[in-house]
């Protein structure tokens, strides 16, 4: 109906009261707390100009931190895509005792404060930790290495993939699976050629959400990472280091570049998803 | 349970595959999610409850708990009021730019916690936009409670709104329009028609908002200044203790937050099971 409204009017008439008040408050609150401070972030780096901006970004330490943040997030998102699919599949398709509990536990990374997750993971994967010690026997060191960063980001990202896939799996119609079986496909062929393509867009969406969260993650990572410059130092930490050195523009420059890169990444994945959807 | 000798339907997985995938899922969740949680409680209470209690019942820890509670008590209600106002405007009216507004409300979720703190330093910090005039008037925002509250509001900004917007949009406007046409005032329409319809959804949003508000680390870490006993919230106090090698103390305080997470998850699951129809259908986080 909205399209039928006179073009000049910017809102449709309504019998309900409170439009001005609720929208006014919403816009004020949103601008004061989100939009204006974000503008401060976008404007700040320009006081040092392009050359200053470039100097910050071409610093090897900054480049390594950005590479680590984006690389480890990508690996963690890939791990979560595989295991998130398995967990979601098991939760939707199978029946076993304790399923509801397992379902609730999946949200733990959302509910557990990141600092708590951070010290727990750090203690778990330390050289004398519950998991760290056995791994050490095989010569694998997790704590204070990039591998530790990947572990923490995997922890934080799992629910995104599972929770994106679950509703899609529930609604997936079984008729195409039945048709494939009737036509002589093995179960494996049905999974690979019928089910997986139908899930691909939501798998990508879940992975993109996990990735976006991981890139900016701080609390669960810094304890296990050990923060060795050029080895296991992540980009968000570098922002804090710059701030402590009173280098506001430098901190803002890294902040802006992280913001821009994750927007580009999300946009790419959205386009990819639209393309996958249109192909079917 | 899994029956071994029942003939398998064509859309069912082979029993061995079922066992394998279930085991794989259980061990992944066990190693990645359950073990860290178990470790928190083991480290906190491994030396007995007395040691953990001493670590919690100590001035700096108590001050951190108080600061966390105060912060949540300010940030959560404000975001709840905002969520209600935003969802009323979005769900009950048609106006130009609605899609953009909903996108902007979700924006804080896609921003790094550290950047969320940084933006307030850029506005209110000593070298920020208002830094000098604030200093001249002796108003402290950064490295004080207002900054901590602002950063917390930012990271928990969308929780209530994104729960209520789809819920109220689904419920439509007929009931409110009927109430108003029968002569009810706007306030009593909201109070007696809308609120009963959205109360479980509102509670759901507030629950998640509160969990994040009490547990936020990155954003608060940037604006707090880490003054022990003064501007350290619970997560920051955990960090300070851990970096001081006071592991029992760190995990004791952490166990309180882990308990909060478990309570939140339990209440959330109960709401999802019991009131599935009365909270928003889709839950992306």
């Amino acid at each position: 109906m909205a399209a039928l409204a006179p073009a000049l009017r910017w809102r449709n008439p309504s019998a309900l009261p409170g439009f001005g008040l609720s929208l006014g408050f919403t816009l004020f609150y949103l601008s004061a707390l989100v939009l204006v401070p974000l503008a401060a972030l976008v404007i700040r780096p320009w006081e040092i100009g392009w050359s200053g901006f470039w100097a910050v970004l071409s610093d090897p330490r900054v480049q390594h931190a950005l590479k680590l943040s984006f690389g480890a997030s990508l690996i963690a998102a890939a791990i979560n895509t595989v295991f998130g699919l398995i967990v979601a599949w098991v939760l939707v398709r199978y029946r076993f005792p304790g399923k509801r509990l397992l379902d609730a536990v999946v949200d733990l990374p959302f509910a557990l404060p990141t600092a708590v997750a951070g010290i727990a993971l750090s203690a778990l994967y330390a050289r004398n930790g519950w998991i760290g010690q056995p791994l050490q026997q095989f010569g694998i060191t997790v704590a204070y290495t990039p591998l530790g960063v990947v572990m923490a980001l995997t922890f934080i990202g799992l629910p995104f993939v599972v929770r994106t896939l679950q509703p899609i799996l529930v609604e997936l119609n079984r008729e195409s699976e039945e048709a494939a079986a009737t036509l002589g496909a093995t179960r494996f062929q049905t999974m690979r050629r019928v089910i997986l393509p139908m899930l691909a867009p939501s798998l990508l969406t879940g992975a993109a959400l996990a990735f976006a969260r991981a890139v900016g993650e701080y609390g669960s990572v810094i304890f296990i990472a050990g923060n060795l410059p050029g080895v296991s130092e992540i980009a968000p930490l570098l922002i804090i280091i710059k701030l402590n050195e009173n280098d506001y523009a430098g901190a803002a420059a890294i902040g802006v570049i992280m913001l821009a890169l994750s927007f580009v990444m999300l946009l790419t994945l959205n386009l990819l998803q639209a393309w996958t959807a249109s192909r079917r | 349970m899994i029956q071994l000798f029942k003939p398998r339907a064509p859309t069912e997985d082979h029993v061995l595959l079922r066992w394998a995938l279930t085991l794989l899922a259980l061990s992944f969740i066990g190693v990645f999610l359950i073990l860290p949680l178990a470790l928190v409680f083991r480290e906190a209470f491994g030396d007995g409850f007395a040691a953990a209690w001493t670590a919690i019942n100590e001035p700096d820890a108590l001050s951190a708990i108080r600061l966390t509670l105060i912060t949540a008590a300010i940030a959560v209600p404000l975001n709840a009021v905002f969520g209600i106002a935003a969802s009323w405007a979005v769900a009950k009216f048609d106006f130009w730019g609605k899609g953009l507004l909903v996108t902007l409300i979700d924006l804080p979720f896609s921003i790094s916690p550290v950047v969320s703190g940084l933006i307030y330093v850029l506005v209110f910090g000593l070298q920020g936009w208002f830094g000098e005039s604030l200093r001249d008037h002796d108003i402290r925002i950064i490295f004080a409670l207002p900054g901590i509250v602002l950063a917390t509001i930012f990271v928990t900004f969308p929780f209530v709104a994104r729960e209520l917007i789809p819920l109220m949009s689904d419920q439509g406007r007929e009931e409110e329009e009927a109430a108003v046409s029968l002569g009810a005032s706007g306030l009593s329409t909201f109070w007696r028609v809308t609120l009963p319809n959205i109360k479980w959804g509102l509670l759901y949003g507030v629950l998640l908002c509160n969990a994040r508000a009490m547990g936020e680390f990155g954003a608060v870490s940037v604006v707090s200044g880490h003054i022990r006993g003064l501007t350290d919230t619970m997560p920051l106090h955990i960090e300070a203790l851990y970096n001081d090698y006071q592991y029992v103390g760190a995990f004791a305080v952490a166990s309180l937050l882990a308990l909060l997470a478990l309570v939140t998850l339990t209440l959330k699951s109960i709401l999802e099971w019991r009131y599935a129809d009365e909270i928003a259908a889709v839950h992306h986080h």
Side-chain angles (χ1 to χ4, degrees), chain B residues 70-121:
Chain B
I70 292 172
T71 305
I74 301 172
V76 176
L78 279 175
N79 278 343
V81 169
F82 163 74
I84 292 170
S87 52
W88 180 265
V90 168
K92 306 294 177 192
F93 301 94
D94 293 313
F95 55 92
W96 186 86
K98 195 196 262 194
L100 180 67
L101 178 65
V102 174
T103 310
L104 287 178
I105 289 173
D106 261 354
L107 196 60
F109 273 170
S110 46
I111 290 171
S112 168
V114 172
V115 174
S116 310
L118 170 68
I119 57 176
Y120 292 105
V121 177

Side-chain angles (χ1 to χ4, degrees), chain A residues 10-12 16-17 19 22 26 29 33 44 83 89 94 97 104 107-108 110-111 122 155 187 191 216 219 243, chain B residues 1 11 13 18 22 28 32 79 82 85-86 88 93-94 96 112-113 120 127 150 157 217 222 242 268-269 285:
Chain A
W10 73 286
R11 77 169 178 107
N12 284 349
L16 295 177
F19 177 70
S22 60
T26 301
Y29 195 80
L33 288 160
R44 191 75 192 208
F83 285 94
W89 182 262
Y94 303 163
D107 274 335
L108 189 68
F110 285 148
S122 174
F155 170 85
R187 186 67 186 146
M191 279 190 165
L243 267 185
Chain B
M1 274 304 289
T11 59
D13 295 334
R18 266 187 286 170
T22 309
F28 187 78
F32 270 85
N79 278 343
F82 163 74
W88 180 265
F93 301 94
D94 293 313
W96 186 86
S112 168
Y120 292 105
Q127 299 172 44
L150 282 173
F157 195 86
F217 177 68
V222 175
Y242 193 82
K268 175 175 169 293
S269 299
H285 293 262

Side-chain angles (χ1 to χ4, degrees), chain A:
Chain A
M1 294 304 280
L4 295 175
L8 283 174
R9 212 178 312 176
W10 73 286
R11 77 169 178 107
N12 284 349
S14 166
L16 295 177
F19 177 70
L21 181 68
S22 60
L23 188 66
F25 177 70
T26 301
L27 290 178
F28 166 75
Y29 195 80
L30 179 72
S31 309
L33 288 160
V34 176
L35 301 181
V36 171
L38 275 177
L41 172 73
V42 178
I43 292 170
R44 191 75 192 208
W46 305 113
E47 72 183 28
I48 50 174
W50 264 114
S51 56
F53 195 78
W54 191 245
V56 173
L57 295 182
S58 53
D59 175 5
R61 188 173 172 190
V62 174
Q63 286 195 346
H64 184 276
L66 284 170
K67 260 185 229 157
L68 176 64
S69 274
F70 280 83
S73 300
L74 209 57
I75 297 170
I79 296 174
N80 278 327
T81 307
V82 175
F83 285 94
L85 174 60
I86 293 173
V87 170
W89 182 262
V90 167
L91 282 176
V92 172
R93 286 296 176 96
Y94 303 163
R95 295 208 289 168
F96 54 93
K99 187 170 119 167
R100 274 191 165 184
L101 188 66
L102 189 72
D103 192 35
V105 165
V106 168
D107 274 335
L108 189 68
F110 285 148
L112 197 67
T114 54
V116 178
I119 62 168
L121 291 171
S122 174
L124 200 58
Y125 289 99
R127 277 167 190 275
N128 56 354
W130 291 354
I131 301 181
Q133 199 165 25
L135 284 181
Q136 202 68 52
Q137 315 262 305
F138 296 100
I140 304 170
T141 312
V142 181
Y144 305 158
T145 67
L147 186 59
V149 178
V150 172
M151 287 298 159
L153 295 180
T154 307
F155 170 85
I156 226 58
L158 180 72
F160 290 95
V161 179
V162 178
R163 293 301 182 228
T164 311
L165 276 178
Q166 258 178 326
I168 308 294
L169 268 176
V170 170
E171 279 167 24
L172 199 69
N173 77 25
R174 295 218 180 190
E175 280 160 25
S176 31
E177 283 175 57
E178 279 161 8
T182 325
L183 291 170
T186 64
R187 186 67 186 146
F188 177 72
Q189 281 173 323
T190 311
M191 279 190 165
R192 199 171 67 90
R193 314 278 296 256
V194 178
I195 298 173
L196 214 50
M198 287 197 280
L199 292 179
S202 39
L203 257 181
L204 273 177
T205 310
L209 291 170
F211 175 81
R213 167 71 198 263
V215 167
E217 180 56 26
Y218 175 71
S220 56
V221 180
I222 53 159
F223 296 99
I224 194 174
N227 313 321
L228 308 167
V231 180
S232 57
E233 191 175 61
I234 54 167
L237 179 71
L238 218 49
I239 294 181
I240 291 189
I241 293 174
K242 295 254 177 218
L243 267 185
N244 288 342
E245 293 166 353
N246 271 325
D247 180 6
Y248 281 28
I254 303 175
V256 165
I257 213 70
M258 280 179 61
L259 212 59
L261 285 175
S262 33
F263 276 142
V264 169
M265 199 71 203
L266 277 180
L267 198 67
T268 316
L269 280 160
N270 271 334
L271 290 175
L272 200 62
Q273 192 194 343
W275 169 74
T276 322
S278 70
R279 212 171 40 124
R280 280 190 287 125

Side-chain angles (χ1 to χ4, degrees), chain B residues 20-35:
Chain B
L21 288 183
T22 309
L23 268 179
L24 206 57
L26 284 175
S27 21
F28 187 78
I29 301 238
V31 170
F32 270 85
L33 306 189
I34 307 281
L35 267 187

